[in-house]
Amino acid sequence: MASKLLYSNLRQTLTRSTHFIHRQLLSTAAAVEPYEDTPGITMKGVKISGRPLYLDVQATSPVDPRVLDAMLPYYLSRFGNPHSRTHLYGWESDMAVENSRAQVASLINASPKEIVYTSGATESNNISVKGVMHFYKDKKKHMITTQTEHKCVLDSCRHLQQEGFDVTYLPVGSDGLIDLKNLRAAIRPDTGLVSIMAVNNEIGVVQPVEEIGKICKEFNVPFHTDAAQALGKIPVDVDKWNVSLMSLSGHKIYGPKGVGALYLRRRPRIRVEPQMNGGGQERGIRSGTVPTPLVVGMGAACELALKEMEYDEKRITAMQERLLNGIRAKLDGVVVNGSMEKRYAGNLNLSFAYVEGESLLMGLKEVAVSSGSACTSASLEPSYVLRALGVDEDMAHTSIRFGIGRFTTEGEIDRAVELTVQQVEKLREMSPLYEMVKEGINIKDIQWAQH
């Protein structure tokens, strides 16, 4: 009886102590960090009400759920190394890799034997540019590209120049397209490669690749094209284009990141010097274990693109018109950068007069878009692509790239129009230059004095 009474008293004392300590901890925590029930997301010092609308498809696209479904078994149960030749796990992975190779080849009218898997279009571009010129270096010391290529091609060309090769950078017109006469005139007896991208990643213009291919064939010069932004969006045919090499990317066509492909023509055969040494996978051109889930995803994405490209194109074109007409109906001084006739509809690069691009981007926190300006900590320079088009520096600084894709909705387009118009009007209200223009003053005639 005494022991029961002692136990009861001890339990009551411990319970009261526990409640007291719990209350003290709560009050201390409240004093240190008051709880705020405020909705929204804060990241990198920017607070937004929720996840923004995604209109930056040229940077990357979301993985199509059907692509993910195809990939998952090769992460979970069919996880074998495709280069393991002695058991089922390797055999089934190898079959999956070869099936995906055929899917990629079908989208560009190539043979599966002409597809080499890489980590992405950047690696494919490096293999193409440096690999070709290094292989034929004894006879070929010159290559041709354009001023508006992707940075990985331009940097590869500069690397070759440091090694003693000559590089011709063709200019483009105000529409972003090259002059075929300039290309023809630039070809020399020692020209080893012409590298011109199919669809520009920044302004969306489509180069006359078929005509370029004919000129290269006439002069017996290999033709390489970076088709990362073209694959699955416009019809691609390696025979019609007469390309010797083509760079492809998985994550631009609703596939996974970290995988790409290089098309290498077999007849007439084009040779490259490998840029990586190792186990000799991918015919010795790109050593390293082929990542089965990623290449399965890229193959599935290419198969879907082949089936749905026509439908996607019609839908995305209608979305682009809705976006452009919606903005122009409420704003003046809106300029489309690049040709409207020769462009991929899902890429709409606009400049807004009398508005600074970075300020506009910061104001458009609810819309995920990209600026045409390249901003660094030391300086703010306008895009080299827009400079090559001859766009005025003040307009080049105001460019915004809107990327429309397979999963973009009409509601998102309408909301993007509303937010863009609001922000541009807000910034123009604060702009003395816009006030002067409204008063009829031509600001280009003003001679600004320096103090």
Side-chain angles (χ1 to χ4, degrees), residues 190-206:
D190 66 341
T191 300
L193 184 69
V194 171
S195 179
I196 298 174
M197 73 196 315
V199 176
N200 188 274
N201 58 297
E202 191 169 317
I203 56 176
V205 297
V206 182

Side-chain angles (χ1 to χ4, degrees), residues 57-223:
V57 179
Q58 278 68 48
T60 192
S61 61
V63 173
D64 191 299
R66 295 167 291 181
V67 169
L68 184 59
D69 286 343
M71 293 171 63
L72 282 175
Y74 297 93
Y75 278 120
L76 301 172
S77 56
R78 302 175 188 174
F79 51 80
N81 186 321
H83 313 296
S84 298
R85 305 298 186 191
T86 58
H87 51 70
L88 175 68
Y89 289 89
W91 301 335
E92 64 186 5
S93 287
D94 181 54
M95 285 180 61
V97 168
E98 294 311 312
N99 179 61
S100 72
R101 211 185 295 274
Q103 290 171 317
V104 175
S106 293
L107 185 55
I108 61 173
N109 191 31
S111 164
K113 294 179 181 179
E114 296 173 310
I115 303 300
V116 173
Y117 278 119
T118 66
S119 63
T122 291
E123 185 181 359
S124 298
N125 284 335
N126 273 263
I127 294 172
S128 299
V129 174
K130 291 186 282 191
V132 168
M133 295 308 293
H134 285 165
F135 190 89
Y136 298 102
K137 63 185 176 184
D138 293 337
K139 296 181 179 179
K140 305 295 183 180
K141 289 288 186 180
H142 173 247
M143 73 163 288
I144 299 169
T145 188
T146 74
Q147 296 175 358
T148 55
E149 291 298 302
H150 192 278
K151 197 172 186 298
C152 64
V153 169
L154 296 177
D155 282 358
S156 294
C157 290
R158 292 188 188 101
H159 181 85
L160 289 174
Q161 286 179 293
Q162 291 172 354
E163 295 179 339
F165 291 90
D166 290 335
V167 180
T168 297
Y169 298 93
L170 295 177
V172 296
S174 58
D175 57 2
L177 303 174
I178 67 161
D179 187 331
L180 295 173
K181 293 177 184 175
N182 291 339
L183 171 61
R184 185 180 288 274
I187 295 176
R188 307 183 335 201
D190 66 341
T191 300
L193 184 69
V194 171
S195 179
I196 298 174
M197 73 196 315
V199 176
N200 188 274
N201 58 297
E202 191 169 317
I203 56 176
V205 297
V206 182
Q207 295 289 352
V209 281
E210 196 169 333
E211 289 79 1
I212 293 168
K214 287 177 182 176
I215 293 172
C216 291
K217 187 174 184 179
E218 179 185 337
F219 287 91
N220 197 29
V221 176
F223 173 34

